[in-house]
Amino acid sequence: MTTFEPGEPPVRRNRLDSNTVARLDDVTTFAQLLDAAELVRMDHPDARILCTLDDLGQCAYTSMHATLGLVDDDDTDHDDPVASHNFDNAAVTRIAALLDNPAARVPWETLRDTRNASEDELTALVTANRSPDRVVDDVVLIQRVPVDRDDLAIAGIPNGYFADDWSTYDNHTVIRRMATHGYRHLAIGASLLAFARPTPPTPEQAATLVTDLTHLYGSPTAIAWHELAVQLPTQRHLILGYAENYADALTTDTEGAAGQP
């Protein structure tokens, strides 16, 4: 793991921005991401920690555009590390404030069937949770997000750019809902969200969670939901797809470092 100090120059070399505080190379397991996030969290107790997940290159690209949609750029000299770091912190503060505005929040009820998943997509969801190593890129960046609540960590890597994906606001609503089930948002990629609990849910808690997931993905009688309800009590993590093509994250090889920032 390569670590950086916040604001350390060069600002954007091998980093999303000046708040990228760690980079993992040659990642092969989801457990590596989980362990690294815990270590970095101890080093930055004044902030929240969020990792990248699937397809880092595409995640960085869509997050850049999602950020531009939420924050107006200015005349900041991004070759000046101090000025650039101040801008990055201000952007996070601005995005967090937008997400935290009750008038702008997306109601949970409006997300019903918004993923409208096919049988193959539900199978991919089960596979992602059963085999999370398959959804992690071989390079992971870890962001220090200067916010005071776990649900606002997405302000550090806002995503949800394409019209048929959940937007950043939609993702924030899902993140808030998953928190009611004990899951903290851990990572976001080009297509997927990852969460973790301190302990696995009980079978009863897993069944309640699956009810909420069918609200999002539809097909409540699909066998995949039974499989997921059995799987979840054996693990701490939860993987959800937020993009229209999230199943591709399991079937298409990522480009690795060649496509990375």
Side-chain angles (χ1 to χ4, degrees):
M1 181 169 66
T2 303
T3 59
F4 311 95
E5 289 299 317
E8 174 186 323
V11 170
R12 296 191 181 278
R13 183 179 180 183
N14 298 326
R15 302 163 74 182
L16 290 177
D17 61 27
S18 67
N19 276 314
T20 303
V21 291
R23 176 184 172 105
L24 307 179
D25 290 281
D26 302 319
V27 180
T28 58
T29 69
F30 185 83
Q32 288 174 274
L33 181 155
L34 191 62
D35 291 344
E38 290 297 331
L39 288 173
V40 173
R41 191 171 285 118
M42 288 189 290
D43 289 336
H44 297 275
D46 61 331
R48 296 302 185 268
I49 299 300
L50 188 63
C51 305
T52 60
L53 189 60
D54 59 287
D55 198 347
L56 174 54
Q58 181 69 1
C59 173
Y61 174 79
T62 52
S63 181
M64 175 190 68
H65 284 284
T67 301
L68 291 175
L70 296 168
V71 176
D72 293 330
D73 205 348
D74 59 5
D75 296 328
T76 299
D77 178 5
H78 289 286
D79 290 326
D80 178 342
V82 174
S84 188
H85 187 51
N86 289 339
F87 174 83
D88 291 338
N89 283 338
V92 168
T93 299
R94 167 65 174 165
I95 295 168
L98 290 171
L99 295 174
D100 201 32
N101 181 356
R105 285 182 189 161
V106 174
W108 169 254
E109 184 56 35
T110 66
L111 294 179
R112 181 180 296 276
D113 295 340
T114 47
R115 287 274 54 87
N116 194 25
S118 66
E119 181 177 347
D120 287 345
E121 288 168 333
L122 290 179
T123 298
L125 196 66
V126 174
T127 301
N129 281 278
R130 181 181 295 128
S131 305
D133 296 352
R134 295 181 58 180
V135 309
V136 185
D137 204 338
D138 60 354
V139 176
V140 169
L141 300 182
I142 304 179
Q143 295 294 109
R144 169 194 172 273
V145 188
V147 294
D148 59 4
R149 291 208 322 260
D150 291 336
D151 69 289
L152 295 175
I154 192 176
I157 316 177
N159 226 328
Y161 168 61
F162 296 111
D164 291 328
D165 299 345
W166 287 337
S167 69
T168 302
Y169 288 96
D170 296 337
N171 280 331
H172 182 236
T173 292
V174 173
I175 289 165
R176 285 169 54 84
R177 188 72 174 196
M178 294 306 102
T180 68
H181 296 284
Y183 289 92
R184 176 164 59 182
H185 187 205
L186 171 68
I188 185 168
S191 303
L192 303 170
L193 302 168
F195 303 82
R197 281 173 51 104
T199 59
T202 65
E204 293 76 17
Q205 290 170 330
T208 302
L209 171 59
V210 166
T211 297
D212 270 358
L213 298 184
T214 60
H215 173 87
L216 297 171
Y217 294 90
S219 302
T221 61
I223 188 64
W225 295 124
H226 170 73
E227 295 172 346
L228 198 57
V230 172
Q231 178 67 27
L232 289 172
T234 70
Q235 63 196 40
R236 292 174 51 208
H237 64 269
L238 173 67
I239 311 293
L240 300 181
Y242 74 85
E244 181 184 26
N245 61 343
Y246 74 83
D248 293 347
L250 278 76
T251 59
T252 304
D253 291 334
T254 54
E255 294 179 357
Q260 311 309 345

